[in-house]
Amino acid sequence: MGVGDIVALMRGAVLQVFMLCAPVLGAALIVGLIVAIFQATTSIQEQTLTFLPKMLVILGLIALLGGWMLAMLRGYTLNLFAMIPKLA
């Protein structure tokens, strides 16, 4: 196994992490922006107001996309396990 193979594995791992985190982080960013605009327009500066909507959206997305996320992780893990004989 050469340096190129290791770089390809790391690149695949980083890409996998980005693909799994992007929908959840994007939704949290959008909800946070909406709540921030609401707080700015109404002059409500309650710190806990931003926490609950983000938490609910993140939990909802994980519930909706959990199967897809698990399938992606399973595929990547099976690919890594299939590469073990090549390493020895």
Side-chain angles (χ1 to χ4, degrees):
M1 179 170 207
V3 175
D5 295 332
I6 295 172
V7 169
L9 278 175
M10 288 298 145
R11 182 178 299 136
V14 169
L15 181 64
Q16 195 77 15
V17 168
F18 283 150
M19 285 176 52
L20 292 174
C21 291
V24 176
L25 291 176
L29 177 72
I30 291 170
V31 169
L33 182 64
I34 291 170
V35 170
I37 291 171
F38 174 74
Q39 283 182 327
T41 56
T42 59
S43 298
I44 299 174
Q45 296 303 320
E46 180 64 32
Q47 295 296 324
T48 58
L49 184 63
T50 61
F51 180 72
L52 186 63
K54 281 185 195 178
M55 186 177 70
L56 292 176
V57 166
I58 288 172
L59 288 175
L61 269 176
I62 290 175
L64 285 174
L65 299 177
W68 172 75
M69 290 176 171
L70 188 62
M72 294 286 289
L73 283 174
R74 181 180 175 268
Y76 185 73
T77 304
L78 290 176
N79 186 22
L80 287 178
F81 285 158
M83 292 178 64
I84 289 176
K86 296 177 188 176
L87 301 177

